[in-house]
Amino acid sequence: MTVSEVRKRFLDFYAKRAHAIIPTAPIVPGNDPTTLFTSSGMQPLLPYFLGVDHPEGKRVVNSQIAFRAGDIEEVGDNRHTTFFEMLGNWSFGDYFKREQLPWIFEFLTSTESGFGIDASKLYVTVFSGDKDAGIPPDGDAVEIWKELFKERGIHAEFADIGTEEDGYKRGVKDGERIFGYSEKNWWSRAGLPANMPAGEPGGPDSEIFYDFGTPHDPKWGPNCHPNCDCGRFVEIGNSVFMQFVKKEDGSFEELPKKNIDFGGGLERITMATVGPDIFFLDIFNAARSILETAAGKSYGSDDVSARSMRIILDHMRASAFILSEGVAPSNTEAGYILRRLIRRSIRHADLIGVESLSDVATSFGKVYEDVYPQLVQKESLIREEIQKEEAKFRRTLKTGMREFEKLAKKGSLSGHDAFVLFSSYGFPIEITEELALERGITVDHDAFRQEMGAHQAKSRTASEGRFKGGLADHSDITVRYHTSHHLLLAALRNLLGDSVHQRGSNITQERVRLDFSFDRKLTPEELRAAEDLVNQKIGEALPVFATPMPKDEATKLGAEQEFGVKYGDIVTVYSMGPKNATQEDPRFKESFSLEFCGGPHVVNTRELGDGAKRFRIIKEESVAAGIRRIKAVLE
């Protein structure tokens, strides 16, 4: 089955169960300073779990494109990717476990209404409780799963595993199909119950694994179990039951409105139809063929070239999507991650004798044209950026080899030496070790891994955000900066004309950064006029309203849209002013600012200050052809 077929079946399945199909959010979030990339389906929807009403209602479903930089080093085996699509269905205070588990089981196993996986290949995990926090085991989930397997003629016994380490000790016994874990099956933004602050919601979850039946690799542990990393069991979905809230005294009580968050890897679910290698999915066929022709060998003909091809296939797909959203390779933030993906791919292309990767990157356009047309629309840009980065990095490689030769003269390479070669010159550790072996010198592999682990931890935290901060960390100053961003864009359009549109933004507690379309440098007089106009509107104390409405109506009103975002049929429009507007009569045509947005914002611009030079532009610069950038602060 193709990836597109599975995606459509999932969306259709939940649409028939009264779920509104919502579009994917961008892979590069526009207004979230806590994360570089969208790393899960839940991430863009977090406000709706925290009390904001979703404009499409209490039941929604979509397929979210996502990227996890912390997984870069995992890529190379048969199942890990940095880029993926997450199938998701959500209930905001509507249905709960008794609906969710039977529905997802039906979708996965029904040949009539769903996907048609053999139920005997499925194993599930549940939360086994936390005695210290006073949270009991998830007995409801256990009973529901037993009933569901019984309906398929499968006797499913429950086994309380405990921790992953315990799982490696005991393994899986005959008849066992439902497994209780403690730390692995609890979800909150802060992690385990003990780490959660008062007022934080969280709850148990239930993961679904597909058993590919491959032999257990004892390097992971003596026995295999669902959470083993050997590849026999592959997680394909997880239902989070947001059920509890932590009280001031450290105890937990049930939420008055319980939520459901299901996330299922589209590619991993589709793997069940092709076997235990994600790179045999149809989405990789064209790119894999290009690589095989260029390398003069078939994918899988040997382990070394297979690993290089997997890294290239994953990294080029991720790069194409990131490039299509306007990110360029650089040495900071998302651009640095993109550069790392491309350069790692180039190094592995060299290993298998492939001279250019631009055709591989652009081949994904046709594959995704029906759902993500931006890859075709930005094909020239993707090709150009890949080629430019290839030229730059091949020059860097020469310098890197000179650095290696200097370090090698010491007679051994420290872990720090190896990490410098990796981080500064793109040399993977295996290449460094191979070069060292040729010269009869050693590499401190363990010390390198320690440095690499620290680097990955920082990368994972920065790129995934871990929902630390997320909406909950949007402090008063961040919310004020978000509102000032709208005022600044409106001021620029007022002064420079309607050709000005937002092309990106980044908002922190220290400043607002706005990228906008304009073809020349602004004069000091224009910058001062923009600054003065924003301060004027702050001083006018304009009311700020959020109004859900049909997308077509919002477009007719002339509401500004965030660049690169796909919107659903119902959107939220934030309006600022006029001064005598009300929520019942927002008087959109007289608003100073009118934008599609998910919030949050202040309720009145007077919260930004008194308007007397409160808002100050500190920098204006070019970031690309036809794109300018302004940084500003609230003083």
Side-chain angles (χ1 to χ4, degrees):
M1 194 175 293
T2 68
V3 166
S4 287
E5 288 171 342
V6 177
R7 184 194 302 109
K8 184 177 186 306
R9 287 194 183 200
F10 181 81
L11 297 177
D12 289 347
F13 181 91
Y14 278 95
K16 291 176 182 176
R17 287 154 183 80
H19 288 66
I21 299 176
I22 60 174
T24 183
I27 201 171
V28 181
N31 287 323
D32 187 351
T34 67
T35 182
L36 297 179
F37 299 102
T38 300
S39 59
S40 70
M42 182 194 198
Q43 186 176 332
L45 296 173
L46 194 59
Y48 308 110
F49 287 102
L50 300 177
V52 177
D53 290 335
H54 196 288
E56 294 283 2
K58 294 183 177 181
R59 299 182 180 188
V60 299
V61 62
N62 81 341
S63 185
Q64 173 65 48
I65 56 174
F67 175 81
R68 292 181 180 170
D71 290 344
I72 287 177
E73 296 306 315
E74 301 292 330
V75 176
D77 62 18
N78 62 341
R79 60 198 180 277
H80 282 98
T81 62
T82 57
F83 174 90
F84 57 96
E85 283 188 72
M86 185 68 80
L87 299 174
N89 66 274
W90 295 274
S91 166
F92 306 122
D94 188 3
Y95 60 84
F96 205 49
K97 297 178 192 178
R98 279 285 168 188
E99 293 81 14
Q100 169 59 19
L101 293 182
W103 277 345
I104 193 58
F105 190 69
E106 179 185 352
F107 168 71
L108 290 173
T109 62
S110 172
T111 55
E112 297 176 0
S113 58
F115 183 48
I117 287 179
D118 181 355
S120 69
K121 297 287 189 181
L122 297 182
Y123 291 73
V124 300
T125 64
V126 299
F127 182 59
S128 61
D130 187 321
K131 292 181 180 178
D132 293 336
I135 302 173
D138 193 353
D140 292 341
V142 173
E143 291 308 310
I144 295 170
W145 279 122
K146 284 184 175 181
E147 294 169 9
L148 293 172
F149 280 114
K150 186 177 181 180
E151 291 173 2
R152 295 289 194 276
I154 299 170
H155 175 67
E157 292 186 14
F158 170 71
D160 190 353
I161 296 289
T163 66
E164 285 184 82
E165 184 178 345
D166 295 329
Y168 287 115
K169 291 178 182 176
R170 72 178 301 280
V172 174
K173 296 178 172 48
D174 290 345
E176 294 177 347
R177 195 167 290 271
I178 306 165
F179 302 87
Y181 290 87
S182 51
E183 298 178 359
K184 288 290 292 182
N185 286 95
W186 176 265
W187 184 92
S188 82
R189 293 178 301 161
L192 297 175
N195 299 333
M196 294 168 59
E200 182 74 10
D205 62 43
S206 183
E207 296 174 318
I208 304 171
F209 293 81
Y210 186 85
D211 180 8
F212 281 100
T214 53
H216 174 63
D217 187 341
K219 80 174 184 179
W220 299 105
N223 298 293
C224 194
H225 62 110
N227 276 303
C228 175
D229 285 324
C230 73
R232 172 189 165 185
F233 295 101
V234 174
E235 181 193 344
I236 60 174
N238 184 23
S239 297
V240 175
F241 312 121
M242 205 173 295
Q243 184 173 355
F244 298 99
V245 63
K246 193 169 187 177
K247 298 166 64 178
E248 290 289 345
D249 63 3
S251 63
F252 286 79
E253 65 180 5
E254 295 217 350
L255 286 164
K257 289 186 177 181
K258 301 177 179 65
N259 302 314
I260 288 291
D261 160 33
F262 172 77
L266 171 59
E267 293 91 343
R268 287 192 169 188
I269 290 174
T270 313
M271 275 174 68
T273 67
V274 300
D277 192 330
I278 205 166
F279 296 99
F280 277 121
L281 297 179
D282 68 290
I283 50 177
F284 292 110
N285 286 348
R288 196 178 63 246
S289 177
I290 292 169
L291 276 183
E292 289 176 327
T293 300
K297 61 175 66 178
S298 298
Y299 169 73
S301 58
D302 64 87
D303 292 341
V304 174
S305 65
R307 181 172 182 273
S308 289
M309 286 188 182
R310 288 165 176 164
I311 289 170
I312 294 168
L313 290 170
D314 168 74
H315 289 7
M316 284 296 98
R317 181 172 65 142
S319 297
F321 272 91
I322 295 171
L323 283 164
S324 76
E325 292 194 7
V327 176
S330 70
N331 290 324
T332 60
E333 299 183 333
Y336 169 73
I337 302 298
L338 173 60
R339 171 162 284 167
R340 185 178 167 200
L341 290 172
I342 298 173
R343 293 191 169 188
R344 189 165 187 244
S345 298
I346 295 167
R347 181 61 218 168
H348 280 275
D350 284 353
L351 292 178
I352 58 175
V354 175
E355 295 182 359
S356 176
L357 294 174
S358 57
D359 285 345
V360 177
T362 55
S363 70
F364 291 103
K366 191 66 176 176
V367 176
Y368 287 103
E369 188 172 14
D370 58 333
V371 283
Y372 306 120
Q374 66 266 32
L375 294 186
V376 171
Q377 295 165 1
K378 297 296 180 67
E379 180 176 326
S380 297
L381 180 146
I382 293 169
R383 180 180 300 279
E384 180 182 339
E385 290 292 345
I386 295 292
Q387 290 174 343
K388 282 182 358 187
E389 198 62 19
E390 282 181 321
K392 289 179 183 177
F393 186 48
R394 294 196 190 283
R395 292 194 296 269
T396 303
L397 280 178
K398 295 178 182 178
T399 309
M401 283 304 301
R402 288 197 295 269
E403 181 67 15
F404 174 85
E405 297 297 349
K406 284 196 298 184
L407 294 171
K409 290 178 181 178
K410 298 188 301 183
S412 65
L413 293 179
S414 68
H416 180 69
D417 292 336
F419 183 74
V420 167
L421 286 169
F422 167 79
S423 60
S424 299
Y425 303 101
F427 280 32
I429 182 62
E430 53 269 15
I431 300 303
T432 299
E433 290 181 323
E434 182 180 328
L435 292 168
L437 182 63
E438 293 173 1
R439 289 156 178 77
I441 60 177
T442 60
V443 179
D444 191 338
H445 189 98
D446 292 339
F448 169 81
R449 286 296 173 198
Q450 289 178 358
E451 284 217 34
M452 192 66 192
H455 171 73
Q456 286 177 321
K458 290 178 183 177
S459 173
R460 191 183 298 271
T461 300
S463 61
E464 294 184 18
R466 295 240 180 233
F467 301 114
K468 243 180 193 178
L471 190 80
D473 255 4
H474 281 174
S475 62
D476 289 344
I477 184 61
T478 305
V479 172
R480 292 200 295 271
Y481 269 125
H482 191 182
T483 307
S484 73
H485 157 275
H486 282 233
L487 291 176
L488 174 59
L489 179 61
L492 291 170
R493 286 175 54 79
N494 184 285
L495 296 167
L496 303 176
D498 292 343
S499 65
V500 171
H501 298 285
Q502 178 187 322
R503 287 296 179 261
S505 64
N506 181 265
I507 300 163
T508 71
Q509 293 187 21
E510 288 75 38
R511 54 100 180 109
V512 61
R513 190 186 80 196
L514 170 67
D515 295 349
F516 59 97
S517 55
F518 201 59
D519 58 4
R520 63 170 173 81
K521 180 179 177 65
L522 273 68
T523 67
E525 292 76 19
E526 288 170 329
L527 292 173
R528 189 160 49 251
E531 190 178 89
D532 289 345
L533 185 51
V534 172
N535 282 307
Q536 176 187 326
K537 297 305 174 183
I538 292 173
E540 288 178 4
L542 302 179
V544 181
F545 300 118
T547 308
M549 65 176 68
K551 178 187 174 184
D552 291 345
E553 181 181 334
T555 302
K556 288 178 183 177
L557 286 170
E560 277 290 288
Q561 302 182 27
E562 186 176 342
F563 179 68
V565 175
K566 289 183 178 179
Y567 293 96
D569 294 334
I570 303 296
V571 299
T572 299
V573 170
Y574 272 85
S575 57
M576 299 184 190
K579 192 168 184 177
N580 56 354
T582 64
Q583 183 68 74
E584 293 72 28
D585 181 22
R587 300 177 63 178
F588 296 120
K589 291 185 179 179
E590 299 173 46
S591 298
F592 177 69
S593 170
L594 195 66
E595 288 195 38
F596 290 41
C597 192
H601 295 283
V602 301
V603 298
N604 191 290
T605 62
R606 65 171 171 262
E607 296 178 44
L608 306 187
D610 58 13
K613 293 299 181 183
R614 173 74 177 179
F615 179 86
R616 185 167 64 87
I617 293 173
I618 58 175
K619 190 173 186 179
E620 189 267 353
E621 60 187 340
S622 171
V623 291
I627 305 294
R628 309 296 299 180
R629 171 173 293 170
I630 283 179
K631 294 180 181 178
V633 295
L634 289 169
E635 297 179 327

